[in-house]
Amino acid sequence: AQKVTQAQTEISVVEKEDVTLDCVYETRDTTYYLFWYKQPPSGELVFLIRRNSFDEQNEISGRYSWNFQKSTSSFNFTITASQVVDSAVYFCALQTGANNLFFGTGTRLTVIP
Amino acid sequence: DSGVTQTPKHLITATGQRVTLRCSPRSGDLSVYWYQQSLDQGLQFLIQYYNGEERAKGNILERFSAQQFPDLHSELNLSSLELGDSALYFCASSEPPGRLNTEAFFGQGTRLTVV
C-alpha cells in the first residue's frame, strides 16, 4: 500500500527565516515518483517538483530546495529566506505504477511579516 | 496558468440533485484525472481516463461517474448529492502523446456546495 505522511500540520515562521517541510512515504514499488504541490489561499494546486526513485540528487530552484533520502524514505522541502507569498498549504505526493497520486495531508505554512 | 480549465468554478446545489463538472485538459494531454478535496478526507483520487478509456479507479462512489470525450475533455457527473459531497473537485492532466507518466498539472478546481 502507498502512504504519504506529513507530520507537520501547521508551521508559522517569521519572514526571512528558513523552513523545512517534512515528508515521509511508504511504498513497496521500486520505481516511483515523488512530488511537491503548493496550494495558495486561492485554492489551485501548483506543481513544484517531481523526482524519480532512482535520482537521489538534491535539487535547488531559487529559494526552494529538496532533499530526497531513500534510506529514510523522506523527501523534505526547504524554503530559504521565506516570504509572505510562500504562505500556503504544501502537499507531498507519491506516484507509483498506477499513475495516480497519493497525497499527504498537507502542511499549512504561515509566513508572518 | 496550468493550462487545465475547469468549469464552473463554484456550484451550489441542493441535496438529491445531479451536477456535471467539466474539465478541459492541457492541449494534447491524453490523461485526465479527477480528485476530490474535502476537509475530512483530504485529497483523494477518484478516477483516471486515458485517451477516452478508463484507466484507473480510486475512491469513487457509485453515485459518481465520469467520461472522457473524443476531444479529450472530461466530465464528472455527481448524482443524488449529499451534504458530505461538498468539496473542491480538481481535474488534472498529463501525458502528451509519446510521453508516459509525466507530471500532472491541476486545474483551479470546482467548489461544490450541497445545501
Side-chain angles (χ1 to χ4, degrees), chain B residues 15-80:
Chain B
T15 54
Q17 295 298 305
R18 173 189 168 95
V19 297
T20 296
L21 312 184
R22 183 188 168 98
C23 170
S24 294
R26 291 191 319 159
S27 178
D29 279 357
L30 297 172
S31 267
V32 169
Y33 309 77
W34 286 97
Y35 288 84
Q36 180 195 57
Q37 185 178 28
S38 61
L39 282 174
D40 52 345
Q41 301 280 355
L43 262 163
Q44 291 218 339
F45 167 69
L46 296 178
I47 197 163
Q48 180 200 1
Y49 280 81
Y50 180 85
N51 204 17
E53 299 288 327
E54 182 184 304
R55 191 193 239 182
K57 223 170 188 176
N59 298 322
I60 188 166
L61 299 171
E62 283 193 16
R63 300 183 285 108
F64 296 0
S65 65
Q67 53 183 329
Q68 186 180 27
F69 295 86
D71 66 353
L72 301 178
H73 91 271
S74 177
E75 292 181 356
L76 179 67
N77 299 297
L78 315 176
S79 61
S80 302

Side-chain angles (χ1 to χ4, degrees), chain A residues 33 35 37 39 42-47 50 91 95-105, chain B residues 31 33 35 37 43-45 48 55-56 88 90 94-95 99 101-108:
Chain A
Y33 293 88
F35 296 76
Y37 284 88
Q39 187 174 38
S42 49
E44 72 271 25
L45 279 168
V46 179
F47 167 79
R50 181 178 87 145
F91 291 93
Q95 179 188 47
T96 62
N99 251 23
N100 53 282
L101 293 165
F102 294 90
F103 284 90
T105 50
Chain B
S31 267
Y33 309 77
Y35 288 84
Q37 185 178 28
L43 262 163
Q44 291 218 339
F45 167 69
Q48 180 200 1
R55 191 193 239 182
L88 189 51
F90 284 105
S94 68
E95 296 184 306
R99 293 186 60 204
N101 212 17
T102 58
E103 58 268 33
F105 290 88
F106 284 75
Q108 293 201 317

Side-chain angles (χ1 to χ4, degrees), chain A residues 86-99:
Chain A
D86 296 327
S87 296
V89 180
Y90 290 86
F91 291 93
C92 180
L94 168 69
Q95 179 188 47
T96 62
N99 251 23

